Amino acid sequence: MVPLKVWEMQDLSVQAAARILSVPKFDALKLMRDLSQNFPSEARSLTKVAVTQEMKKEMEENQKRLSESIGVHPGDAELFINGLHIDLDVHNPFSILDLLRAEARVLEGLHNLGIQGEDQGKLLRLPVDAVDERYALDIRHPAIMWLNDIENDPVYGSWPMGVQELLRATFPGVIRQIRRNLFNLVLFLDPVRPESVELVKLAELFYKHKIPLRIGFVFVVNTEEEIDGFSEAGVGFFRVLNYIADEYDLSQALMSMVSMYNKVEAGEMLSVDAISAYLKRKFPKANAERILGVESEYDDKRKDGAVFYKKSGLGSLPLALFNGVPLSPDEMDPEELETIILQRIMDTTTTFQRAVFTGQLTEGSSVVDYLMEQANVVPRMNPLILSTDRKYLDFTAKPVVDDWDDTTMFSYYDSRDKTAVMAKRMKYFTNADEDGMSAVTMWIVGDFDKVSGRKLLLGALKRVKVSPGVRVGVIDNPGGKPSRDNSVLYRAIWASLLTQKNKAAAEFVQKLLREESSLLLQKGTAMKELLTQAMNRDAFEKRFNTLEVDFIRSQQLFCRDVLKLSPGQRAVISNGRVLGPFEEREDFTAEDFQLLEKITLRASAEEVRAKVKLMGMKAKRASDLVMKVDALLAAAPQGEVRRDVHFVQDSHSVLHLSPRENEVFYDVVAIVDPLTREAQKMSPLLIVLSQVVNVRLRVFMNCRAKLSELPLKSFYRFVLESDVSFLGNDTVSPGPVARFPELPESPLLTLIMNTPESWMVQAVRSPHDLDNIHLQEVSGTVAAEYELEHLLLEGHCFDLTTGQPPRGLQFTLGTSREPLMYDTIVMANLGYFQLKANPGAWILKLREGRSEDIYQVLSHDGADSPADAGDVVVVLDSFHSKILKVRVQKKAEKMSEDLLSENSASKGVWESIASVWSTFEKSITGGVSKKDDRQKAKEDVLNIFSVASGHLYERFLRIMMLSVLRHTKTPVKFWFLKNYLSPSFKETIAHMAEEYGFQFELVQYKWPRWLHQQAEKQRIIWGYKILFLDVLFPLAVDKIIFVDADQIVRADLKDLRDFDLEGAPYGYTPFCDSRTEMEGYRFWKSGYWNSHLGHRKYHISALYVVDLKKFRKIAAGDRLRGQYQALSQDPNSLSNLDQDLPNNMIHQVAIKSLPQEWLWCETWCDDASKVSAKTIDLCNNPKTKEPKLTAAARIVPEWVEYDDEIKRLLKLVQEQDGMATQKPTPSPSLREKADTRRDEL
């Protein structure tokens, strides 16, 4: 592969696009896949492709439009399915499949409703309002008595009036004093309840401290006429209030109320005696009988507060509204309410600032009117209507027959068919718009022989009368078996709908529903006696007398099977949304129908109506379609806003694939540069999409111009199959395969697997060194088999009391039979934790010991058990990520306890864990007998941690292990990062452990998704050396020593473990200064490092010892990750990640400098100091670039001896296991390539 010249690279991206668009369109995606995934081999052929000026011009115009409309720039990649944005960094094939399934329901529904082509796309993209949990009540009501008025009261006269003041900068937490009624608090109080005392005093506190809060009261008192102020304290209170308001003013009256309450002790009630005494003391000339007595002149508007409260639909007293939004009962605690109100003021300020900035709120606007005209403001609070848990009927079925007169046949229909039949046969009372259409369709369900049923239908008909665009259908749900005798009233309603004009039918049915008509019918009055003059009497009587009851039985079946109602129960259905069943005494008032209409229109009905109107249908069919489409769209899960992606022109730069006609199709738009990493992933995904579903596909070639380097340097395969594949003998194939044929033989290649975030994948079989593939030296095919070992369970944990992550808290994951299978510790970074699992049901618990003793789980989100359950049940039933949010709190008696405190360590925190993250590989513990966790923690074990990747470094690693074992009598346990070990190393390590008598454990950790990712494998490994020390190892491990794989140990590492770190969390060896000829390469002696370190030394990361107790106690891991996150965004920072990071953090996380003899390296240390070296590191030499294997044999005489001993052992193991394949030894050329990788520098 001869490198391209710079001028040949400039137009590669556009040339690739031209070549893709020049082939038949059905081959274009495959060509894009081949070009992007094999680019290093295809690059030269692209330089010969000619590009037309038309294509370049069109591409530039489209790029300009995309940049302005959706913020997409040249080279960016975006994917849209039916207007929904698919972020390929977040989505994977499984989440896309879920999205396709969700979309299919809506698309097929629209198709079944007869909507196709462009109309389908227009309806699909309609903005369906998300259900709002923070509805507000209109506070412009005369029943509210306002204590103050920020805009008009003289006390606020010095404050500025302009809303632009909201945009003026202030210190954080400062409440702006602006002379506008921006913040309004309304308190609904029963004057005699003890809770009212504290709330009134709090209101006075706000008022006296000039908080810019308009405060209003609604007093809910006894409304019975015969009750006077001497017999009921509430009535007396209200009359005294009116008296003072008449004599002085309302503000003075309310201030008098405050002083009246100040005389009442907390927890006591306002009494009649207290009111009389106050009146006598403050107003001695007042006539108490005239004010409080039966003939009181001050009883005006006593009922207003109670009526407003009842109509509002609010819950139990006392209540508070902030800008109309009700506070929850938990927030009404007077001790908490002050903080909550002040926080609401701060939060709402941000909303007002945005409104002023965008011009929605201007100087001439009434702030209160602006607030009350928002979409979330409703005339009444009905939890049933405003509930976020909504159920909808499915109108999309197309039954073969639509007969409801045959009850037996109707009973065999499924729910969707029953619903479709009901919709088709339904008749309506209407008050249509000028165009005859109704945007809101209500079905009233009930037993109309009962008062409650008749009252419900009467309320609905009254709403129809005053509201154009609403129609009402009626469904009978009788309490008993329908017969001609007990269905007289409903048959009359139905006969009038079938035979009369709309107005006449509505008037007759309203008359029929009145109680006097019901009494007349019960007394035997004939139905014809109740007919109105405007009716066609003959048609009605003929139909009424011949109407059978089978259709009523079918309606009763519909109520039972679809609506899940018992006989006689009531419900209301609005555009398919089912409200009910209602309680026996539950009223659904005219105000409720008004609210339901508003909510239905606001959700999507208004938008749907506008689109359906353009289709030019007849009024009845159009109204039916609005109802059905609205139900379909509202029932669909509401995600992000759908976007319309348009191109200026699409002749020369857009690939088009048309869908199959007369079928449901997905509208897919892809924007991609064909020579990017995104194109490598997107092209096979689009190919599979076009194979498994019907798509209309548009792919815009979003090419970058004037490239100065090769856009892709890798070969890539995206393993995704459209169907299960079979072998020639009809057996299922072994599984998906990534094949790389015709690769160039000369370059050194590395095989890397990119997986979904929650997958833990390992190479389980391969005799080859997958880090160093040199095809010239391999006979045959390089094959590797990977396995999905675990699915990741992730979460975030917070202490509800402090709002902070509970550092050191431990969780266990297991099953009911085996409660402790995996365990982990909570990080301080975002309270993050992760656990390995597999498909199935799991139980997440606090670990026995200090975690469980001190903390308790209060609630959790994202799990599959009730939110307040102590044990968190998690079901892993898909390949998606599962992310939990767990809230914990210290137990009341443990508030002063600290999980990581030194003085409590003896209680078991350090001894309680067998393994923190890792899978404890029980089957490969080197034959060491198993002991309980506590005993293991107390053993005198030398814990050595190391990482290696590739056969060459695994060879070094084995030699390092042998050198450690040769120089110590202390039991040794090696800890290896499993993520990057080869299958052959994992197969042989157990044999080595058995031969030399050491323990080992393979630890795993998935790089957290929130932590900045590294792209290069070597830098990822460096990250693992330093970033996760606090969570990789069990808490039972006090100290860990990291030893680089290419080191040879000549001393007992027990001395290093026992070395006094003098309070530092870790100790590193400084770089040598003794080899003077390398002075020019000592980068730490100049520039940034010289000024940053000051008098401190720059330390090498080849060998270090970590005091894990201290490390966790000072949150060193969290600090290192925080600094890494800040610095790693800059590609020029942390060039030597594993040692630059701790050296950079030396002022925050202290490093104890180890004696120089602990690490000798020929590159930096002179020959004289070698005699006293306790370890020798095979540092790369930037001057000579000597191959590492050559240097090892030359510098360390015993290295060859160790190497030969290991080879003999491996050969013996192969012979014993009957392994025929010899372990390949790296050739000289391979060694040269492998040695170019950096180890410490």
Short mmCIF file of all heavy atoms in Angstrom, two decimals, residues 954-995:
data_model
loop_
_atom_site.label_atom_id
_atom_site.label_comp_id
_atom_site.label_asym_id
_atom_site.label_seq_id
_atom_site.Cartn_x
_atom_site.Cartn_y
_atom_site.Cartn_z
N GLU A 954 2.54 -10.64 27.39
CA GLU A 954 2.19 -11.74 28.28
C GLU A 954 3.42 -12.62 28.57
O GLU A 954 3.55 -13.18 29.66
CB GLU A 954 1.06 -12.57 27.67
CG GLU A 954 -0.28 -11.85 27.72
CD GLU A 954 -1.40 -12.55 26.96
OE1 GLU A 954 -1.12 -13.55 26.28
OE2 GLU A 954 -2.54 -12.06 27.04
N ARG A 955 4.31 -12.71 27.60
CA ARG A 955 5.57 -13.42 27.81
C ARG A 955 6.39 -12.70 28.89
O ARG A 955 6.92 -13.32 29.81
CB ARG A 955 6.34 -13.49 26.49
CG ARG A 955 7.67 -14.22 26.55
CD ARG A 955 8.28 -14.22 25.16
NE ARG A 955 9.63 -14.79 25.14
CZ ARG A 955 10.39 -14.80 24.06
NH1 ARG A 955 9.95 -14.27 22.93
NH2 ARG A 955 11.60 -15.33 24.11
N PHE A 956 6.49 -11.36 28.76
CA PHE A 956 7.17 -10.57 29.79
C PHE A 956 6.48 -10.74 31.15
O PHE A 956 7.15 -10.82 32.19
CB PHE A 956 7.17 -9.09 29.41
CG PHE A 956 8.16 -8.72 28.34
CD1 PHE A 956 7.75 -8.10 27.17
CD2 PHE A 956 9.52 -8.97 28.50
CE1 PHE A 956 8.66 -7.75 26.19
CE2 PHE A 956 10.43 -8.63 27.52
CZ PHE A 956 10.01 -8.02 26.37
N LEU A 957 5.15 -10.76 31.13
CA LEU A 957 4.38 -10.84 32.37
C LEU A 957 4.70 -12.12 33.14
O LEU A 957 4.91 -12.10 34.36
CB LEU A 957 2.87 -10.77 32.06
CG LEU A 957 1.90 -10.87 33.23
CD1 LEU A 957 2.13 -9.72 34.22
CD2 LEU A 957 0.45 -10.85 32.75
N ARG A 958 4.77 -13.26 32.44
CA ARG A 958 5.08 -14.53 33.11
C ARG A 958 6.47 -14.47 33.76
O ARG A 958 6.68 -14.98 34.87
CB ARG A 958 5.01 -15.67 32.10
CG ARG A 958 3.60 -15.99 31.59
CD ARG A 958 3.62 -17.25 30.75
NE ARG A 958 2.30 -17.52 30.18
CZ ARG A 958 1.94 -17.21 28.94
NH1 ARG A 958 2.80 -16.61 28.13
NH2 ARG A 958 0.73 -17.50 28.50
N ILE A 959 7.42 -13.86 33.05
CA ILE A 959 8.79 -13.76 33.58
C ILE A 959 8.81 -12.85 34.81
O ILE A 959 9.48 -13.14 35.81
CB ILE A 959 9.73 -13.26 32.46
CG1 ILE A 959 9.87 -14.36 31.40
CG2 ILE A 959 11.09 -12.86 33.02
CD1 ILE A 959 10.50 -13.90 30.11
N MET A 960 8.05 -11.73 34.75
CA MET A 960 7.96 -10.85 35.92
C MET A 960 7.39 -11.61 37.12
O MET A 960 7.91 -11.52 38.25
CB MET A 960 7.06 -9.65 35.60
CG MET A 960 6.88 -8.67 36.75
SD MET A 960 5.54 -9.09 37.91
CE MET A 960 4.11 -8.69 36.92
N MET A 961 6.36 -12.43 36.90
CA MET A 961 5.75 -13.19 37.99
C MET A 961 6.77 -14.15 38.61
O MET A 961 6.87 -14.26 39.84
CB MET A 961 4.55 -13.98 37.46
CG MET A 961 3.38 -13.11 37.01
SD MET A 961 2.20 -14.02 35.98
CE MET A 961 1.68 -15.29 37.10
N LEU A 962 7.53 -14.82 37.75
CA LEU A 962 8.51 -15.78 38.24
C LEU A 962 9.59 -15.06 39.06
O LEU A 962 10.03 -15.56 40.11
CB LEU A 962 9.13 -16.52 37.06
CG LEU A 962 9.96 -17.77 37.37
CD1 LEU A 962 9.19 -18.74 38.25
CD2 LEU A 962 10.40 -18.44 36.08
N SER A 963 9.99 -13.87 38.61
CA SER A 963 11.02 -13.12 39.35
C SER A 963 10.50 -12.67 40.71
O SER A 963 11.23 -12.62 41.70
CB SER A 963 11.50 -11.92 38.53
OG SER A 963 10.51 -10.90 38.46
N VAL A 964 9.22 -12.33 40.79
CA VAL A 964 8.61 -11.96 42.09
C VAL A 964 8.65 -13.16 43.03
O VAL A 964 9.06 -13.06 44.20
CB VAL A 964 7.16 -11.48 41.89
CG1 VAL A 964 6.46 -11.34 43.25
CG2 VAL A 964 7.13 -10.16 41.14
N LEU A 965 8.23 -14.33 42.52
CA LEU A 965 8.13 -15.53 43.36
C LEU A 965 9.51 -16.01 43.82
O LEU A 965 9.64 -16.56 44.92
CB LEU A 965 7.42 -16.64 42.57
CG LEU A 965 5.96 -16.35 42.21
CD1 LEU A 965 5.45 -17.34 41.17
CD2 LEU A 965 5.07 -16.38 43.44
N ARG A 966 10.54 -15.80 43.01
CA ARG A 966 11.89 -16.25 43.34
C ARG A 966 12.48 -15.47 44.53
O ARG A 966 13.42 -15.93 45.18
CB ARG A 966 12.81 -16.07 42.13
CG ARG A 966 12.63 -17.10 41.05
CD ARG A 966 13.31 -18.42 41.42
NE ARG A 966 13.33 -19.33 40.28
CZ ARG A 966 12.40 -20.25 40.02
NH1 ARG A 966 11.38 -20.40 40.85
NH2 ARG A 966 12.50 -21.03 38.97
N HIS A 967 11.95 -14.29 44.82
CA HIS A 967 12.58 -13.43 45.81
C HIS A 967 11.70 -13.16 47.03
O HIS A 967 11.93 -12.19 47.76
CB HIS A 967 12.99 -12.09 45.16
CG HIS A 967 14.08 -12.24 44.14
ND1 HIS A 967 13.81 -12.47 42.81
CD2 HIS A 967 15.43 -12.24 44.27
CE1 HIS A 967 14.95 -12.57 42.14
NE2 HIS A 967 15.96 -12.44 43.01
N THR A 968 10.69 -13.98 47.25
CA THR A 968 9.87 -13.78 48.45
C THR A 968 9.41 -15.11 49.00
O THR A 968 9.24 -16.08 48.24
CB THR A 968 8.65 -12.88 48.16
OG1 THR A 968 7.98 -12.60 49.38
CG2 THR A 968 7.66 -13.56 47.21
N LYS A 969 9.24 -15.15 50.30
CA LYS A 969 8.67 -16.34 50.94
C LYS A 969 7.23 -16.09 51.36
O LYS A 969 6.55 -16.98 51.87
CB LYS A 969 9.52 -16.71 52.17
CG LYS A 969 10.93 -17.18 51.80
CD LYS A 969 11.71 -17.57 53.04
CE LYS A 969 13.11 -18.06 52.64
NZ LYS A 969 13.94 -18.41 53.82
N THR A 970 6.80 -14.86 51.15
CA THR A 970 5.42 -14.48 51.51
C THR A 970 4.46 -15.02 50.44
O THR A 970 4.77 -14.95 49.25
CB THR A 970 5.29 -12.95 51.59
OG1 THR A 970 6.30 -12.45 52.46
CG2 THR A 970 3.92 -12.54 52.08
N PRO A 971 3.29 -15.54 50.83
CA PRO A 971 2.30 -15.97 49.82
C PRO A 971 1.95 -14.80 48.89
O PRO A 971 1.81 -13.66 49.34
CB PRO A 971 1.09 -16.39 50.66
CG PRO A 971 1.64 -16.70 52.00
CD PRO A 971 2.82 -15.80 52.20
N VAL A 972 1.86 -15.12 47.61
CA VAL A 972 1.62 -14.08 46.61
C VAL A 972 0.27 -14.31 45.93
O VAL A 972 -0.09 -15.45 45.62
CB VAL A 972 2.74 -14.07 45.55
CG1 VAL A 972 2.44 -13.03 44.46
CG2 VAL A 972 4.09 -13.78 46.19
N LYS A 973 -0.44 -13.20 45.74
CA LYS A 973 -1.66 -13.26 44.93
C LYS A 973 -1.54 -12.23 43.81
O LYS A 973 -1.33 -11.04 44.08
CB LYS A 973 -2.91 -12.97 45.77
CG LYS A 973 -4.19 -13.06 44.93
CD LYS A 973 -5.44 -13.10 45.79
CE LYS A 973 -6.66 -13.32 44.92
NZ LYS A 973 -7.90 -13.41 45.72
N PHE A 974 -1.63 -12.71 42.58
CA PHE A 974 -1.55 -11.82 41.43
C PHE A 974 -2.97 -11.44 41.00
O PHE A 974 -3.88 -12.26 40.98
CB PHE A 974 -0.83 -12.51 40.26
CG PHE A 974 0.64 -12.69 40.48
CD1 PHE A 974 1.16 -13.93 40.84
CD2 PHE A 974 1.51 -11.62 40.32
CE1 PHE A 974 2.52 -14.10 41.05
CE2 PHE A 974 2.87 -11.78 40.53
CZ PHE A 974 3.39 -13.02 40.89
N TRP A 975 -3.09 -10.17 40.64
CA TRP A 975 -4.37 -9.64 40.13
C TRP A 975 -4.12 -9.17 38.70
O TRP A 975 -3.26 -8.32 38.47
CB TRP A 975 -4.85 -8.47 40.99
CG TRP A 975 -5.04 -8.82 42.43
CD1 TRP A 975 -4.09 -8.92 43.39
CD2 TRP A 975 -6.28 -9.11 43.08
NE1 TRP A 975 -4.64 -9.26 44.60
CE2 TRP A 975 -5.99 -9.38 44.44
CE3 TRP A 975 -7.60 -9.17 42.66
CZ2 TRP A 975 -6.96 -9.71 45.37
CZ3 TRP A 975 -8.58 -9.49 43.59
CH2 TRP A 975 -8.27 -9.76 44.93
N PHE A 976 -4.89 -9.71 37.76
CA PHE A 976 -4.71 -9.35 36.35
C PHE A 976 -6.00 -8.75 35.80
O PHE A 976 -7.11 -9.21 36.14
CB PHE A 976 -4.35 -10.58 35.50
CG PHE A 976 -3.13 -11.30 35.97
CD1 PHE A 976 -3.21 -12.61 36.43
CD2 PHE A 976 -1.88 -10.68 35.98
CE1 PHE A 976 -2.08 -13.28 36.88
CE2 PHE A 976 -0.75 -11.34 36.42
CZ PHE A 976 -0.85 -12.64 36.87
N LEU A 977 -5.85 -7.74 34.96
CA LEU A 977 -7.01 -7.15 34.28
C LEU A 977 -7.44 -8.10 33.16
O LEU A 977 -6.72 -8.30 32.19
CB LEU A 977 -6.65 -5.77 33.72
CG LEU A 977 -7.82 -4.97 33.18
CD1 LEU A 977 -8.78 -4.57 34.29
CD2 LEU A 977 -7.31 -3.73 32.45
N LYS A 978 -8.62 -8.69 33.33
CA LYS A 978 -9.09 -9.73 32.40
C LYS A 978 -9.43 -9.18 31.03
O LYS A 978 -9.34 -9.89 30.03
CB LYS A 978 -10.31 -10.42 33.01
CG LYS A 978 -10.81 -11.62 32.22
CD LYS A 978 -12.02 -12.24 32.91
CE LYS A 978 -12.52 -13.44 32.14
NZ LYS A 978 -13.74 -14.01 32.75
N ASN A 979 -9.80 -7.88 31.00
CA ASN A 979 -10.33 -7.29 29.76
C ASN A 979 -9.45 -7.54 28.54
O ASN A 979 -9.94 -7.69 27.43
CB ASN A 979 -10.50 -5.77 29.93
CG ASN A 979 -11.41 -5.42 31.09
OD1 ASN A 979 -11.39 -6.08 32.11
ND2 ASN A 979 -12.19 -4.37 30.95
N TYR A 980 -8.11 -7.56 28.74
CA TYR A 980 -7.23 -7.58 27.57
C TYR A 980 -6.29 -8.79 27.53
O TYR A 980 -5.37 -8.83 26.71
CB TYR A 980 -6.41 -6.28 27.51
CG TYR A 980 -7.32 -5.10 27.32
CD1 TYR A 980 -7.67 -4.28 28.40
CD2 TYR A 980 -7.91 -4.84 26.09
CE1 TYR A 980 -8.54 -3.22 28.23
CE2 TYR A 980 -8.78 -3.78 25.91
CZ TYR A 980 -9.10 -2.98 27.00
OH TYR A 980 -9.98 -1.94 26.82
N LEU A 981 -6.51 -9.78 28.37
CA LEU A 981 -5.67 -10.98 28.33
C LEU A 981 -6.10 -11.88 27.18
O LEU A 981 -7.29 -11.99 26.86
CB LEU A 981 -5.78 -11.74 29.66
CG LEU A 981 -5.16 -11.07 30.89
CD1 LEU A 981 -5.43 -11.92 32.12
CD2 LEU A 981 -3.66 -10.86 30.70
N SER A 982 -5.14 -12.55 26.59
CA SER A 982 -5.44 -13.44 25.47
C SER A 982 -6.04 -14.74 25.98
O SER A 982 -5.82 -15.13 27.14
CB SER A 982 -4.17 -13.74 24.68
OG SER A 982 -3.32 -14.58 25.45
N PRO A 983 -6.78 -15.47 25.14
CA PRO A 983 -7.33 -16.76 25.56
C PRO A 983 -6.24 -17.73 26.01
O PRO A 983 -6.42 -18.46 26.98
CB PRO A 983 -8.04 -17.26 24.30
CG PRO A 983 -8.37 -16.03 23.53
CD PRO A 983 -7.26 -15.08 23.80
N SER A 984 -5.09 -17.71 25.32
CA SER A 984 -4.04 -18.68 25.68
C SER A 984 -3.48 -18.39 27.07
O SER A 984 -3.16 -19.31 27.82
CB SER A 984 -2.92 -18.65 24.63
OG SER A 984 -2.38 -17.35 24.52
N PHE A 985 -3.34 -17.11 27.44
CA PHE A 985 -2.85 -16.78 28.78
C PHE A 985 -3.84 -17.26 29.83
O PHE A 985 -3.46 -17.84 30.86
CB PHE A 985 -2.60 -15.28 28.91
CG PHE A 985 -2.00 -14.88 30.22
CD1 PHE A 985 -0.63 -14.85 30.39
CD2 PHE A 985 -2.80 -14.55 31.31
CE1 PHE A 985 -0.06 -14.50 31.61
CE2 PHE A 985 -2.25 -14.20 32.54
CZ PHE A 985 -0.87 -14.17 32.68
N LYS A 986 -5.13 -17.01 29.59
CA LYS A 986 -6.14 -17.41 30.56
C LYS A 986 -6.21 -18.94 30.71
O LYS A 986 -6.54 -19.46 31.78
CB LYS A 986 -7.51 -16.84 30.15
CG LYS A 986 -7.62 -15.34 30.39
CD LYS A 986 -8.97 -14.77 30.01
CE LYS A 986 -9.09 -14.49 28.55
NZ LYS A 986 -10.30 -13.73 28.18
N GLU A 987 -5.89 -19.65 29.62
CA GLU A 987 -5.91 -21.11 29.70
C GLU A 987 -4.73 -21.66 30.48
O GLU A 987 -4.84 -22.68 31.16
CB GLU A 987 -5.88 -21.69 28.27
CG GLU A 987 -7.18 -21.52 27.51
CD GLU A 987 -7.01 -21.79 26.01
OE1 GLU A 987 -5.91 -22.22 25.62
OE2 GLU A 987 -7.96 -21.54 25.26
N THR A 988 -3.56 -20.99 30.42
CA THR A 988 -2.34 -21.55 31.02
C THR A 988 -2.03 -21.01 32.41
O THR A 988 -1.22 -21.59 33.13
CB THR A 988 -1.13 -21.26 30.11
OG1 THR A 988 -1.02 -19.85 29.88
CG2 THR A 988 -1.29 -21.98 28.77
N ILE A 989 -2.65 -19.91 32.82
CA ILE A 989 -2.28 -19.30 34.10
C ILE A 989 -2.59 -20.22 35.28
O ILE A 989 -1.85 -20.25 36.27
CB ILE A 989 -3.00 -17.92 34.27
CG1 ILE A 989 -2.51 -17.21 35.54
CG2 ILE A 989 -4.49 -18.07 34.29
CD1 ILE A 989 -1.06 -16.82 35.50
N ALA A 990 -3.66 -21.01 35.17
CA ALA A 990 -3.99 -21.93 36.27
C ALA A 990 -2.90 -22.98 36.45
O ALA A 990 -2.57 -23.37 37.58
CB ALA A 990 -5.34 -22.59 36.01
N HIS A 991 -2.33 -23.47 35.33
CA HIS A 991 -1.25 -24.45 35.42
C HIS A 991 -0.02 -23.83 36.08
O HIS A 991 0.66 -24.47 36.89
CB HIS A 991 -0.90 -24.95 34.01
CG HIS A 991 -2.01 -25.68 33.34
ND1 HIS A 991 -2.40 -26.95 33.71
CD2 HIS A 991 -2.85 -25.30 32.33
CE1 HIS A 991 -3.42 -27.34 32.94
NE2 HIS A 991 -3.70 -26.36 32.10
N MET A 992 0.26 -22.59 35.75
CA MET A 992 1.41 -21.90 36.33
C MET A 992 1.20 -21.70 37.83
O MET A 992 2.13 -21.86 38.64
CB MET A 992 1.61 -20.57 35.62
CG MET A 992 2.96 -19.93 35.89
SD MET A 992 3.22 -18.48 34.85
CE MET A 992 4.70 -17.82 35.63
N ALA A 993 -0.05 -21.35 38.21
CA ALA A 993 -0.36 -21.15 39.64
C ALA A 993 -0.17 -22.45 40.42
O ALA A 993 0.34 -22.45 41.54
CB ALA A 993 -1.80 -20.65 39.78
N GLU A 994 -0.58 -23.55 39.80
CA GLU A 994 -0.42 -24.85 40.46
C GLU A 994 1.06 -25.21 40.60
O GLU A 994 1.50 -25.72 41.63
CB GLU A 994 -1.16 -25.92 39.65
CG GLU A 994 -1.22 -27.26 40.34
CD GLU A 994 -2.06 -28.26 39.57
OE1 GLU A 994 -2.63 -27.88 38.52
OE2 GLU A 994 -2.15 -29.41 40.01
N GLU A 995 1.84 -24.92 39.56
CA GLU A 995 3.27 -25.27 39.55
C GLU A 995 4.04 -24.46 40.60
O GLU A 995 4.90 -25.00 41.32
CB GLU A 995 3.84 -25.01 38.16
CG GLU A 995 5.34 -25.23 38.03
CD GLU A 995 5.73 -26.70 38.13
OE1 GLU A 995 4.85 -27.58 37.92
OE2 GLU A 995 6.90 -26.97 38.45
#
